[in-house]
């Protein structure tokens, strides 16, 4: 996951009989259309505190309120706070990329190590740090403005937003066939830590996109190359050239 300091959208005493804090969070729903997914905001009771038990109570409330509106949707929390072990494994902190040369790194490390700034980067040594170390590396905050991403000598622009992160996540998940098969059973995804006011990329969104591409028969084409992926997301698929981003 792309971890941020949590900023909660709060409304007091709205929809809560006991006067509790209410919050809103994104739920990403698989949508079999050219848009691939849709995002809805669900209000739920927020349980403050840093304990995992408190986070899980918030997740339960969020999911319960979502299911009230979307009874036919199966929902999964993707984060280290998930009650489902699948959701924990699918966290970008835990989802690993294994290369043919026996190397291994997380999606989080791949993302952070690919950042190119005005005065530095990409910092390739971040690739083999722990996910938490990668996120906290001070160079990511001291190298000026983020200008692009570069992963295995392939350049990615900042726009469209989430394009590169989604691609990383989708490729990592595709390799993990056991996890991929399980995630396809779900229709909607959340990440309790994600706040759209502070962050852009979200592992729950990436998972929804993965499922949507699979259900539309586009996943195999999308992972072939950067060009294929971009064309599919922008609804103009053309290319068939293979691009192997693993060493």
């Amino acid at each position: 996951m792309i971890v941020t300091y949590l900023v909660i959208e709060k409304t007091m005493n709205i929809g809560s009989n006991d006067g509790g804090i209410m919050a809103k969070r994104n739920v990403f729903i698989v949508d079999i259309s050219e848009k691939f997914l849709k995002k809805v905001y669900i209000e739920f009771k927020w349980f403050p505190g840093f304990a995992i038990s408190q986070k899980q109570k918030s997740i339960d409330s969020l999911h319960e309120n979502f299911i009230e509106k979307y009874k036919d949707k199966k929902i999964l929390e993707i984060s280290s706070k998930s009650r489902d072990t699948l959701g924990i494994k699918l966290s970008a902190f835990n989802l690993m990329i294994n290369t043919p040369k026996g190397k291994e790194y997380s999606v989080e490390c791949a993302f952070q190590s690919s950042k190119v700034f005005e005065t530095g980067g990409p910092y390739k040594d971040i690739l083999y740090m722990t996910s938490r170390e990668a996120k906290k590396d001070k160079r990511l905050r001291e190298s000026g403005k983020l200008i692009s991403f570069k992963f295995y000598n392939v350049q990615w622009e900042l726009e469209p937003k989430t394009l590169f992160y989604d691609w990383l996540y989708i490729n990592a998940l595709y390799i993990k066939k056991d996890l991929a098969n399980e995630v396809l059973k779900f229709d909607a995804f959340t990440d309790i830590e994600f706040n759209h006011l502070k962050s852009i990329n979200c592992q729950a969104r990436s998972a929804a996109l993965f499922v949507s591409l699979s259900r539309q028969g586009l996943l195999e084409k999308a992972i072939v190359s950067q060009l294929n992926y971009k064309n599919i997301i922008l609804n103009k698929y053309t290319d068939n050239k293979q691009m192997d981003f693993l060493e």
Side-chain angles (χ1 to χ4, degrees), residues 60-103:
D60 292 343
S61 177
L62 172 58
H63 285 195
E64 287 169 5
N65 289 355
F66 172 79
I67 292 171
E68 283 184 6
K69 295 184 177 181
Y70 301 90
K71 293 180 173 59
D72 62 329
K73 304 297 183 185
K74 189 175 181 181
I75 189 170
L76 176 68
E77 165 72 14
I78 297 182
S79 74
S80 60
K81 311 303 187 299
S82 182
R83 290 189 184 275
D84 194 314
T85 55
L86 175 64
I88 296 173
K89 291 178 180 179
L90 290 173
S91 164
F93 268 40
N94 299 324
L95 183 59
M96 306 300 289
I97 299 172
N98 300 95
T99 76
K101 290 187 177 180
K103 297 179 180 179

Side-chain angles (χ1 to χ4, degrees), residues 66-229:
F66 172 79
I67 292 171
E68 283 184 6
K69 295 184 177 181
Y70 301 90
K71 293 180 173 59
D72 62 329
K73 304 297 183 185
K74 189 175 181 181
I75 189 170
L76 176 68
E77 165 72 14
I78 297 182
S79 74
S80 60
K81 311 303 187 299
S82 182
R83 290 189 184 275
D84 194 314
T85 55
L86 175 64
I88 296 173
K89 291 178 180 179
L90 290 173
S91 164
F93 268 40
N94 299 324
L95 183 59
M96 306 300 289
I97 299 172
N98 300 95
T99 76
K101 290 187 177 180
K103 297 179 180 179
E104 181 181 68
Y105 46 82
S106 70
V107 170
E108 179 71 19
C109 289
F111 180 70
Q112 300 297 346
S113 69
S114 300
K115 291 181 175 179
V116 180
F117 300 91
E118 291 176 312
T119 61
Y123 299 112
K124 296 182 180 179
D125 59 301
I126 291 178
L127 195 62
Y128 298 105
M129 293 181 177
T130 66
S131 294
R132 198 163 300 279
E133 289 171 342
K135 178 62 180 177
K136 293 183 176 181
D137 194 292
K138 65 180 182 180
R139 292 171 294 178
L140 301 176
R141 299 182 297 277
E142 298 176 352
S143 300
K145 183 180 179 181
L146 180 66
I147 59 175
S148 66
F149 300 98
K150 191 174 184 180
F151 188 64
Y152 282 82
N153 295 317
V154 178
Q155 201 79 18
W156 293 78
E157 299 81 14
L158 297 181
E159 298 286 345
K161 293 181 175 65
T162 81
L163 191 74
F164 173 62
Y165 181 86
D166 288 339
W167 179 84
L168 271 179
Y169 191 95
I170 288 169
N171 274 271
L173 182 52
Y174 180 81
I175 295 170
K176 302 292 186 180
K177 298 299 184 183
D178 54 336
L179 298 180
N181 290 335
E182 289 300 311
V183 79
L184 292 176
K185 299 176 182 178
F186 292 86
D187 310 295
F189 303 91
T190 59
D191 176 357
I192 197 65
E193 301 285 12
F194 176 73
N195 189 300
H196 71 282
L197 298 176
K198 301 292 291 184
S199 298
I200 297 172
N201 300 289
C202 179
Q203 56 204 6
R205 182 191 187 283
S206 301
L209 179 58
F210 180 93
V211 175
S212 183
L213 288 169
S214 179
R215 290 181 182 177
Q216 295 186 64
L218 294 171
L219 183 59
E220 299 287 344
K221 296 176 181 178
I223 65 167
V224 166
S225 70
Q226 181 193 46
L227 180 59
N228 270 15
Y229 170 70

